[in-house]
Amino acid sequence: MKKTALSLVAVLSLTGLVGCQTQTNDTLPVVATIEQDKAFTQFSAQFIDELWQTFPSWALYRGFHDYDGRLNIPSDVQRQHSLAFITHQQQALAQISPQSLSPNVRIDYSIIDNLLAKMKWEQETFKSWQWDPSRYNVAEGFALIINGDFASSDERLTSVLSRLAFIPDYYIGARESIQSPTLEHTQLAILQNEGALSVLSPRLLQEAMDSGLTVRQKQQFKARYTQGVSAIKQHVSWLKSLEKKLTTQGARSFRIGEALYEQKFAFDIKAGMTAKQLYQKALLDKDRVQAEMSVLTGQLWSKYFSTQKPTDDKIAIGRLINKLSVNHVKRDDFVSEIRQQIPELIHFVNEKNLITLDPNKPLIVRETPEYMQGFAGASVSAPGPYEKSANTYYNVTPLDSMSEASAESYLREYNHWILQILNIHEAIPGHYTQLVYANESPSLVKSLFGNGAMIEGWAVYAERMMLEQGYSDFEPEMWLMYYKWHLRVICNTLLDYSIQVQGMSEEEAINLMTKEAFQQIAEAEGKWRRATLSQVQLTSYYAGYRGIYDLREDVKSLEETQFDLKAFHERFLSYGSAPVSDIRQLMLLTH
Ligand code: ZN
Ligand code: ZN
């Protein structure tokens, strides 16, 4: 990375002197800041250690493998234990005064503070451990150990052996914990626990039998494997009878309502505004974007149709989008086309001076490894903080396994224009670029507990920023397609809030997506299902985007002619994956 203010911040914060960088309102001497920073750094290292000891599966998901052989049994005792942990950590955190911390460290403080409060709230108030049976599933942990490359096969099988012993008690505890669940989460639990059987497959047993484990270990493995598999099957059949009961006798609603929604939104997004305020912004943006799309459709209509444009604007927009979507790559060229686009994006970013890209960290485009090929698409997989040396990959799944019809529909969705926007979002200067910068921010706290809305928001912001800077030369077709893509982000927020808080029906939701946002019915049905199973997460894309865009406009009007887009981007990303509202405070502090 070029030596910019960014690396200066990194160096200074390592020595605890970053407080001198910005003029804060604090009058505390620098010495106090250094001491408080030190105290916090000690606290946070110990906090993470104890967190992983207390929650071994969480550690495993984050790539910390010391406790892979353990599995917590859900129970009242376990929950008491969690609460004691939270209280203990909150008391330790209260010994440090956030006002005297340097800015970057203060963000870490607020991230842990928020995390602990959220854990307490989830357990005591939200209580999804009671009503969401899909929380109980051993599949993911086992899959991570079995497919991982962090240790030798025999070492990993030894962890699997130890972990297998907990399965029967785990599901007994799950059944004791579940109370008045929703039908939707019960059905998801059935599906996912059935999936667990494909993780604990006969192939795994065979692998263990062929491994370097001792004879005695192999005997244990076989016995525990058999007990584990039958415990999963027993649990699935219990869930199925529960499903029947819920279907006939009625179940708790999956809608969490306004009070819980606002609380969850505050913890998860940290948007610096309420969910309701964000919802209202999204409503306005929807109208604005649709109006822009009408104008573009008017400009383009006669280029693509010899017939009269329909008087209903939304029908006209929908038809034009369908017509344009036919322009897409051949299915066999899908991966190679993406590979070719990356250097073009890099070239544009450099030419327009949008952000410094580190030439020493090139993005590696690869076909998605088989064990990750759950669904088609593209994703960035980055090494976690515990595996710093590994490469970052842009995984693209080839369309080989798709039927002719579904490949065609997929290619129309990711047509000539949308594919470019996808690459901006996932790769350059979206997720990939943000990740490179986040890794420069030397904070384990941020890389472990980073803010999802900031991460998604940056990628969504990057799409628009590139187009505003002239990527694709202001081609109206590109803008129209971009708006269609962006409308999905806006509608995700509208849907989530409307469904969870305002009781929107399935039919209304499908109408919103297909008629107002020009989505295909299959996509809309999938989104409805997702919106019944998760809460708040769907708002993170728009919340982060809106926060970053508004911050940029505010900094621009403060700095007037001094404003420099590249400097703004680099400063913004230098804080790591922190909540946008926290970054906003720090960036506006210096003005
Ligand atoms: Zn086609
Ligand atoms: Zn994304």
Side-chain angles (χ1 to χ4, degrees):
M1 193 150 294
K2 219 179 102 187
K3 290 286 166 210
T4 58
L6 170 69
S7 27
L8 192 64
V9 169
V11 170
L12 287 174
S13 71
L14 279 174
T15 55
L17 284 166
V18 74
C20 316
Q21 278 279 291
T22 45
Q23 292 177 341
T24 68
N25 303 324
D26 311 330
T27 48
L28 280 159
V30 174
V31 178
T33 293
I34 296 173
E35 272 173 15
Q36 285 293 298
D37 278 7
K38 231 176 168 175
F40 179 82
T41 306
Q42 271 168 9
F43 162 79
S44 74
Q46 196 177 344
F47 165 77
I48 292 167
D49 269 0
E50 292 173 9
L51 185 74
W52 294 161
Q53 278 175 42
T54 313
F55 303 99
S57 293
W58 194 353
L60 164 58
Y61 299 156
R62 294 306 157 93
F64 187 78
H65 293 287
D66 284 17
Y67 308 113
D68 283 4
R70 282 169 39 197
L71 185 61
N72 283 348
I73 307 301
S75 68
D76 285 338
V77 174
Q78 171 59 36
R79 284 182 286 273
Q80 288 300 328
H81 190 57
S82 303
L83 272 187
F85 169 85
I86 295 166
T87 309
H88 167 72
Q89 299 299 339
Q90 283 179 326
Q91 282 163 355
L93 193 59
Q95 304 302 307
I96 300 162
S97 132
Q99 285 75 29
S100 50
L101 295 172
S102 58
N104 227 325
V105 179
R106 205 183 306 164
I107 293 186
D108 283 10
Y109 179 101
S110 110
I111 287 174
I112 294 183
D113 189 37
N114 184 60
L115 180 71
L116 288 167
K118 187 195 164 174
M119 288 165 73
K120 192 173 158 67
W121 172 83
E122 277 195 326
Q123 192 164 319
E124 294 183 324
T125 308
F126 196 54
K127 294 188 176 172
S128 62
W129 55 271
Q130 286 183 345
W131 53 260
D132 177 4
S134 74
R135 287 175 55 119
Y136 304 107
N137 185 349
V138 297
E140 191 182 352
F142 279 106
L144 285 169
I145 302 173
I146 293 165
N147 296 315
D149 55 5
F150 54 89
S152 75
S153 167
D154 284 353
E155 282 173 87
R156 286 181 289 112
L157 283 168
T158 306
S159 297
V160 171
L161 170 61
S162 150
R163 201 177 173 85
L164 280 171
F166 296 97
I167 298 181
D169 284 346
Y170 175 89
Y171 281 110
I172 291 170
R175 291 193 284 278
E176 281 169 6
S177 302
I178 295 168
Q179 282 172 49
S180 73
T182 78
L183 177 62
E184 292 76 8
H185 292 93
T186 304
Q187 287 166 336
L188 180 66
I190 293 170
L191 208 75
Q192 292 185 336
N193 276 288
E194 280 174 338
L197 294 171
S198 68
V199 175
L200 297 181
S201 66
R203 208 175 86 188
L204 170 68
L205 181 61
Q206 193 54 51
E207 211 179 292
M209 295 307 107
D210 298 341
S211 71
L213 296 186
T214 66
V215 176
R216 176 157 163 67
Q217 281 178 316
K218 286 181 186 175
Q219 282 170 345
Q220 273 183 332
F221 199 103
K222 195 167 183 181
R224 289 179 186 174
Y225 170 87
T226 311
Q227 282 168 358
V229 167
S230 83
I232 296 171
K233 286 180 177 162
Q234 191 192 348
H235 188 65
V236 169
S237 68
W238 180 82
L239 286 169
K240 282 182 173 165
S241 56
L242 177 63
E243 181 195 17
K244 242 180 231 144
K245 202 180 102 190
L246 297 174
T247 311
T248 52
Q249 299 175 8
R252 178 195 173 102
S253 168
F254 67 83
R255 302 174 208 269
I256 63 173
E258 185 169 12
L260 288 177
Y261 191 92
E262 284 290 358
Q263 289 162 14
K264 190 168 201 290
F265 182 83
F267 285 125
D268 289 358
I269 306 291
K270 284 203 95 190
M273 69 179 95
T274 65
K276 191 175 188 174
Q277 287 167 329
L278 185 76
Y279 168 76
Q280 279 154 351
K281 278 178 187 270
L283 275 180
L284 291 175
D285 269 346
K286 176 174 82 76
D287 291 345
R288 216 174 288 151
V289 165
Q290 285 174 337
E292 292 284 336
M293 291 174 92
S294 294
V295 173
L296 290 165
T297 300
Q299 287 171 15
L300 288 168
W301 188 264
S302 59
K303 184 174 166 189
Y304 292 95
F305 295 96
S306 51
T307 53
Q308 193 75 23
K309 185 165 83 73
T311 43
D312 184 324
D313 269 357
K314 277 165 198 153
I315 290 176
I317 295 169
R319 274 199 207 152
L320 181 55
I321 285 172
N322 283 341
K323 182 102 182 178
L324 293 175
S325 301
V326 177
N327 184 351
H328 59 71
V329 295
K330 291 202 214 69
R331 64 184 287 176
D332 292 339
D333 297 341
F334 189 68
V335 178
S336 61
E337 174 64 27
I338 288 179
R339 200 170 266 133
Q340 276 169 28
Q341 279 181 18
I342 303 301
E344 290 168 29
L345 292 172
I346 293 172
H347 178 77
F348 183 83
V349 167
N350 287 335
E351 190 185 60
K352 295 280 174 172
N353 223 6
L354 302 178
I355 187 165
T356 305
L357 301 172
D358 187 347
N360 298 315
K361 297 200 172 99
L363 175 59
I364 303 164
V365 182
R366 67 169 180 187
E367 292 193 5
T368 311
E370 215 165 305
Y371 75 91
M372 291 172 68
Q373 287 193 13
F375 45 92
S379 66
V380 168
S381 74
Y386 295 115
E387 33 174 3
K388 265 214 162 110
S389 58
N391 284 322
T392 296
Y393 294 102
Y394 187 14
N395 302 311
V396 184
T397 308
L399 312 184
D400 304 351
S401 61
M402 281 186 175
S403 72
E404 200 54 51
S406 44
E408 176 62 21
S409 134
Y410 184 80
L411 289 167
R412 285 187 186 202
E413 177 74 31
Y414 293 96
N415 58 55
H416 171 74
W417 295 279
I418 300 280
L419 193 59
Q420 297 175 63
I421 299 169
L422 176 74
N423 286 328
I424 293 172
H425 178 104
E426 295 292 339
I428 312 265
H431 285 315
Y432 174 70
T433 303
Q434 192 265 326
L435 268 166
V436 172
Y437 275 81
N439 287 339
E440 300 284 310
S441 169
S443 153
L444 194 53
V445 173
K446 289 190 198 79
S447 42
L448 288 170
F449 314 112
N451 181 274
M454 182 273 179
I455 294 169
E456 281 308 335
W458 172 263
V460 174
Y461 165 79
E463 299 161 6
R464 186 180 184 100
M465 183 274 291
M466 289 286 276
L467 261 58
E468 284 179 345
Q469 294 301 312
Y471 179 78
S472 91
D473 215 12
F474 302 98
E475 185 191 16
E477 287 89 341
M478 175 59 100
W479 275 95
L480 182 72
M481 282 297 178
Y482 162 74
Y483 280 133
K484 187 219 167 196
W485 175 263
H486 189 58
L487 209 45
R488 173 159 70 185
V489 166
I490 296 169
C491 282
N492 282 347
T493 290
L494 295 177
L495 278 172
D496 200 56
Y497 189 82
S498 307
I499 292 170
Q500 292 290 336
V501 175
Q502 299 173 325
M504 177 184 259
S505 71
E506 179 169 4
E507 197 192 340
E508 290 168 323
I510 301 281
N511 267 337
L512 173 67
M513 288 182 272
T514 54
K515 301 219 168 84
E516 299 270 331
F518 316 104
Q519 295 176 14
Q520 299 301 310
I521 185 79
E523 186 193 350
E525 282 167 349
K527 187 60 60 66
W528 162 259
R529 183 153 181 273
R530 183 170 159 196
T532 64
L533 293 170
S534 74
Q535 319 83 21
V536 172
Q537 199 274 335
L538 277 172
T539 68
S540 60
Y541 308 81
Y542 177 72
Y545 157 77
R546 195 68 269 167
I548 297 168
Y549 200 91
D550 292 349
L551 172 61
R552 187 191 77 184
E553 295 308 292
D554 291 346
V555 171
K556 214 190 243 176
S557 63
L558 283 166
E559 295 183 350
E560 295 175 341
T561 54
Q562 300 290 303
F563 179 78
D564 179 82
L565 188 60
K566 183 182 196 179
F568 170 81
H569 291 153
E570 293 180 356
R571 173 126 192 246
F572 179 81
L573 291 185
S574 74
Y575 296 104
S577 307
V580 179
S581 57
D582 287 352
I583 299 177
R584 181 185 176 88
Q585 272 189 9
L586 293 182
M587 286 185 77
L588 294 182
L589 219 56
T590 41
H591 289 94

